[in-house]
C-alpha cells in the first residue's frame, strides 16, 4: 500500500462533520452526567435523545431531543451564528406540542479536519465550540425551502448549561426564548 493511499480520508467530509458533532455532544453529555441515545429511525429530525436522572418539582428523569449540525469555518465572530435549516427540520424543531423539548446544536469546527482536535498526553481539546437554540414557537415560514436561524453566542453548549436545561425541563419550565447560562439558572 502506498503512503498516498494512507492519506486519503476514510469517509467524506460531511460524514466526518456528523461524527465530530456527535463526539462533541457525547463529551458534553458525559461530563454533565447525562445519558445519550439515538433514535433508530430519524423521522422527526431528532439526532439525539439526552436524558438525566434529575428530580424536578414537576417531572423526574427529563429528556431533551436534539438536532445536531456541524459548520466548518473559523471560531465564531459577532453576537450570533447564522445557520440555514431545511424547512422540514425548522418545522420539527419549532413544534410546540412535542412532549420533550427540542433544541438545535451547531458545532463550529475548523475548516480542515486535522485541526479539529489537539491531543497530547495532558489533554484532548475539541475545536471550536457548540451553540444551542430552542426554536419552539417560532413562526411558520410558508412557501420556503429553508430558514436561516441565529444562535446567540451566549448560548454555548456546555455541561453546566445542559444540567441547567435538564433542571428547567424537570421543573416544567420552557427552554424557548432562553439565551445564555444566566437565564438557565
Amino acid at each position: 500500500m502506498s503512503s498516498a493511499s494512507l492519506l486519503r480520508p476514510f469517509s467524506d467530509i460531511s460524514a466526518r462533520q456528523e461524527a465530530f458533532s456527535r463526539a462533541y455532544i457525547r463529551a458534553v453529555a458525559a461530563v454533565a452526567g447525562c445519558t445519550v441515545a439515538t433514535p433508530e429511525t430519524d423521522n422527526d429530525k431528532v439526532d439525539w435523545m439526552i436524558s438525566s436522572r434529575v428530580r424536578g418539582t414537576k417531572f423526574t428523569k427529563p429528556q431533551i431531543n436534539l438536532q445536531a449540525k456541524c459548520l466548518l469555518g473559523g471560531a465564531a465572530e459577532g453576537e450570533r451564528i447564522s445557520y440555514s435549516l431545511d424547512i422540514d427540520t425548522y418545522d420539527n424543531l419549532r413544534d410546540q406540542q412535542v412532549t420533550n423539548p427540542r433544541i438545535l446544536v451547531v458545532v463550529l469546527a475548523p475548516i480542515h479536519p486535522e485541526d479539529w482536535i489537539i491531543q497530547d498526553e495532558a489533554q484532548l481539546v475539541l475545536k471550536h465550540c457548540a451553540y444551542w437554540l430552542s426554536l419552539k414557537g417560532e413562526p411558520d415560514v410558508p412557501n420556503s425551502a429553508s430558514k436561516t436561524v441565529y444562535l446567540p453566542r451566549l448560548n454555548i453548549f456546555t455541561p453546566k448549561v445542559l444540567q441547567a436545561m435538564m433542571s428547567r425541563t424537570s421543573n416544567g419550565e420552557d427552554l424557548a426564548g432562553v439565551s445564555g447560562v444566566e437565564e438557565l439558572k
Side-chain angles (χ1 to χ4, degrees):
M1 186 180 291
S2 73
S3 62
S5 66
L6 292 174
L7 298 176
R8 284 198 325 242
F10 290 93
S11 61
D12 68 18
I13 192 67
S14 63
R16 291 195 279 170
Q17 284 177 261
E18 180 180 346
F20 185 71
S21 68
R22 288 176 177 264
Y24 194 110
I25 291 162
R26 277 194 180 276
V28 168
V31 172
C34 295
T35 302
V36 295
T38 56
E40 191 168 318
T41 306
D42 183 8
N43 287 330
D44 292 323
K45 303 295 184 176
V46 171
D47 293 325
W48 289 101
M49 299 169 294
I50 302 179
S51 58
S52 171
R53 296 177 49 85
V54 168
R55 291 183 158 288
T57 57
K58 195 165 183 179
F59 304 108
T60 62
K61 301 181 177 112
Q63 178 178 306
I64 296 173
N65 294 338
L66 189 147
Q67 170 66 218
K69 300 293 184 184
C70 184
L71 182 62
L72 299 181
E77 295 178 3
E79 293 182 15
R80 57 192 190 160
I81 297 100
S82 63
Y83 192 86
S84 181
L85 289 172
D86 65 87
I87 206 66
D88 191 37
T89 300
Y90 174 76
D91 285 341
N92 274 282
L93 289 172
R94 70 182 192 83
D95 189 344
Q96 296 184 68
Q97 297 185 318
V98 294
T99 305
N100 299 317
R102 293 180 173 192
I103 61 170
L104 170 67
V105 173
V106 177
V107 177
L108 269 60
I111 293 172
H112 304 290
E114 60 271 17
D115 297 329
W116 292 357
I117 66 171
I118 298 172
Q119 182 180 12
D120 59 35
E121 291 179 330
Q123 65 183 346
L124 172 63
V125 177
L126 304 177
K127 293 173 62 177
H128 287 296
C129 196
Y131 302 88
W132 69 274
L133 181 66
S134 171
L135 295 170
K136 180 179 179 181
E138 289 293 312
D140 184 28
V141 181
N143 304 320
S144 182
S146 65
K147 167 72 173 154
T148 300
V149 297
Y150 300 92
L151 296 90
R153 281 195 50 207
L154 292 173
N155 285 15
I156 298 174
F157 187 69
T158 67
K160 185 179 235 176
V161 164
L162 182 54
Q163 289 173 337
M165 286 180 188
M166 289 297 178
S167 292
R168 281 184 73 100
T169 300
S170 68
N171 290 333
E173 298 171 23
D174 212 344
L175 300 178
V178 174
S179 65
V181 70
E182 292 303 315
E183 287 189 42
L184 282 169
K185 292 181 179 175

